[in-house]
Amino acid sequence: MGSRTLSIGASLDSPDGHFERNHTENGSMVSLKFHEPNGVLDQGHQVSSPVRRDVNRSLSGVKFLENDDLDLEDGKLEKDRNKTVRSNKAVKIQNQALLSGLAYCLSSCSMILVNKFVLSGYDFNAGISLMLYQNFISVVIVSILSSMGLISREPLTWRLIKVWLPVNVIFVGMLLTSMFSLKYINVAMVTVLKNVTNVITAVGEMYLFKKHHDSRVWAALFLMIVSAVSGGITDLSFHAIGYSWQIVNCFLTASYSLTLRRVMDTAKQVTKSGNLNEFSMVLLNNTLSLPLGILLIFVFNEVDYLYTTPLLRRPDFWLVMTLSGFLGLAISFTSMWFLHQTGATTYSLVGSLNKIPLSVAGIVLFKVPTSLENSASIFFGLLAGVFFARAKMREKTQS
């Protein structure tokens, strides 16, 4: 370390002399020089060794005391600083988890309610066109974000498309049957009937992947079936077509989940990075659904309806449709954000609990006629969903 000279002026007992102290940081030597008032400098005169030793001891003692005080003070400040940083970090993580959870719940609830409003409130009879428009919005937004460098995605190659196409066909069928059922069934019963998907998935896992579930999981699945059957029997607005579409939707959703697990491994092998993130899957699914959706519009003859309906000339209808497209993409973003901030366990449990306010909002907003028996069945089914999530969490911890 280089020495730094500190010059301190002071008076000695003799008024005729001035004292200059040169103190180096390494404390090796302290020299005292006297200057005569007449300007004659006694250069080279050193203070006698006893005096020098006393001054050295005094200055060393002061230095060590100062260093000890500084070390203690620095240590205390460092501890306080670390404590503050840890406290701020913990608060930030909690705020991020809470914010991401609220965003996920809000977007998933709003998506279903807005779709219900478009299909039932506006009485829009072109579910395929609605799906096509929503997927088109997702493709545009993801492509823009990717070109700006805000998100990363895998490039679409023919090899990847060929691997993913069977999954995409199921994906499109899942979306369309969900639209068709939502038009005829109230939101609360849709959420309860969707529990049947868990039953089909569990059976599929057992036969396809040889996965065995414990008794709690099967008990929860049994409660889901009971609640779905009792809810359908007591449903005052029962619609056979809507229930049929929803049953088909449960099978397609379970098939999508089971098929996705197998195709994901193959798809990763044909990508350049060897990985396939959520944004790549969103872009892949929605891009491939566009030509299939256009084909289905002509197959189901929605073109004539789109030419004649006055809804397409209403700005408010386009606004709501566009909002539904943004919400569909928001679910993908917020679910990834929430999953990253918490974990699969919390994500699954919150997803099950989220169905409770969704069901209540669906009944209140759309003025669904209900009875005490039907309300009890719906509530029972929602609790069964929470019980199922808890049972799956315990099963995962034990395994």
Side-chain angles (χ1 to χ4, degrees):
M1 181 193 301
S3 64
R4 185 179 54 194
T5 303
L6 303 175
S7 177
I8 304 174
S11 61
L12 293 174
D13 291 339
S14 171
D16 296 339
H18 295 284
F19 173 72
E20 184 183 88
R21 181 169 69 223
N22 292 329
H23 176 214
T24 58
E25 277 189 349
N26 55 15
S28 58
M29 185 180 81
V30 177
S31 62
L32 301 176
K33 298 182 181 179
F34 290 93
H35 300 268
E36 296 296 331
N38 57 5
V40 179
L41 178 63
D42 185 10
Q43 296 179 1
H45 177 74
Q46 299 287 339
V47 180
S48 61
S49 59
V51 175
R52 192 186 336 171
R53 284 196 298 270
D54 291 341
V55 173
N56 275 332
R57 280 198 297 270
S58 300
L59 290 174
S60 300
V62 170
K63 179 182 176 183
F64 292 150
L65 284 172
E66 287 176 353
N67 286 342
D68 289 343
D69 291 341
L70 286 172
D71 288 343
L72 289 172
E73 188 176 353
D74 287 345
K76 187 178 179 182
L77 288 172
E78 188 66 27
K79 286 180 182 177
D80 292 342
R81 198 156 42 238
N82 290 338
K83 187 176 179 182
T84 306
V85 169
R86 284 195 301 269
S87 175
N88 290 339
K89 190 175 180 182
V91 170
K92 186 178 179 181
I93 290 173
Q94 289 176 358
N95 290 341
Q96 288 283 327
L98 181 62
L99 188 62
S100 60
L102 288 174
Y104 166 67
C105 292
L106 186 63
S107 59
S108 59
C109 285
S110 301
M111 177 65 179
I112 296 176
L113 294 174
V114 169
N115 277 346
K116 177 67 175 175
F117 182 64
V118 171
L119 295 168
S120 298
Y122 280 104
D123 196 23
F124 187 60
N125 295 318
I128 303 173
S129 303
L130 176 60
M131 179 213 70
L132 186 67
Y133 184 66
Q134 291 174 349
N135 292 358
F136 175 73
I137 290 176
S138 296
V139 170
V140 171
I141 295 174
V142 171
S143 300
I144 291 173
L145 294 177
S146 177
S147 63
M148 293 172 65
L150 298 175
I151 61 171
S152 61
R153 64 172 181 86
E154 288 295 322
L156 301 183
T157 60
W158 281 112
R159 290 181 65 194
L160 182 58
I161 289 172
K162 282 190 290 185
V163 169
W164 201 263
L165 194 56
V167 182
N168 186 254
V169 172
I170 302 174
F171 171 75
V172 171
M174 180 181 72
L175 292 182
L176 291 180
T177 51
S178 176
M179 295 279 192
F180 296 156
S181 65
L182 194 59
K183 180 174 176 60
Y184 299 105
I185 310 177
N186 66 74
V187 174
M189 277 310 303
V190 166
T191 56
V192 172
L193 292 172
K194 278 184 180 292
N195 286 336
V196 178
T197 303
N198 296 322
V199 181
I200 302 169
T201 305
V203 174
E205 286 176 338
M206 190 174 63
Y207 283 101
L208 295 175
F209 303 108
K210 308 300 179 187
K211 184 177 180 180
H212 298 284
H213 301 285
D214 61 22
S215 56
R216 292 190 190 92
V217 174
W218 288 113
L221 293 173
F222 176 74
L223 293 177
M224 288 178 177
I225 295 173
V226 171
S227 65
V229 172
S230 61
I233 294 172
T234 57
D235 187 5
L236 299 180
S237 56
F238 179 84
H239 200 291
I241 297 176
Y243 272 75
S244 303
W245 280 122
Q246 185 55 52
I247 292 170
V248 175
N249 175 259
C250 290
F251 277 98
L252 287 173
T253 306
S255 302
Y256 178 74
S257 174
L258 295 169
T259 310
L260 190 63
R261 297 181 193 182
R262 293 197 169 195
V263 173
M264 277 289 291
D265 295 331
T266 313
K268 288 177 181 178
Q269 294 173 6
V270 299
T271 57
K272 291 184 178 179
S273 66
N275 194 17
L276 197 66
N277 60 21
E278 182 74 18
F279 299 117
S280 300
M281 286 194 288
V282 168
L283 186 64
L284 191 57
N285 266 330
N286 290 312
T287 303
L288 293 180
S289 70
L290 297 181
L292 187 56
I294 293 172
L295 177 64
L296 290 174
I297 285 177
F298 286 98
V299 170
F300 283 84
N301 199 25
E302 284 191 0
V303 179
D304 292 340
Y305 172 78
L306 294 174
Y307 272 123
T308 56
T309 179
L311 290 173
L312 297 183
R313 292 186 288 273
R314 293 176 56 176
D316 59 318
F317 178 73
W318 279 105
L319 181 65
V320 175
M321 280 232 301
T322 306
L323 176 62
S324 69
F326 277 96
L327 287 172
L329 187 61
I331 293 175
S332 299
F333 282 92
T334 55
S335 60
M336 283 180 63
W337 182 25
F338 185 43
L339 195 58
H340 176 71
Q341 293 295 330
T342 55
T345 301
T346 309
Y347 176 81
S348 175
L349 189 59
V350 169
S352 300
L353 291 170
N354 191 37
K355 293 178 180 179
I356 298 175
L358 173 62
S359 300
V360 174
I363 292 173
V364 173
L365 292 176
F366 296 100
K367 299 176 182 177
V368 178
T370 185
S371 61
L372 181 61
E373 293 83 2
N374 185 246
S375 300
S377 300
I378 292 170
F379 186 68
F380 184 68
L382 297 173
L383 288 182
V386 177
F387 182 52
F388 173 75
R390 296 268 316 217
K392 289 285 287 183
M393 285 157 47
R394 288 182 184 176
E395 183 183 59
K396 190 176 292 184
T397 348
Q398 289 172 359
S399 61

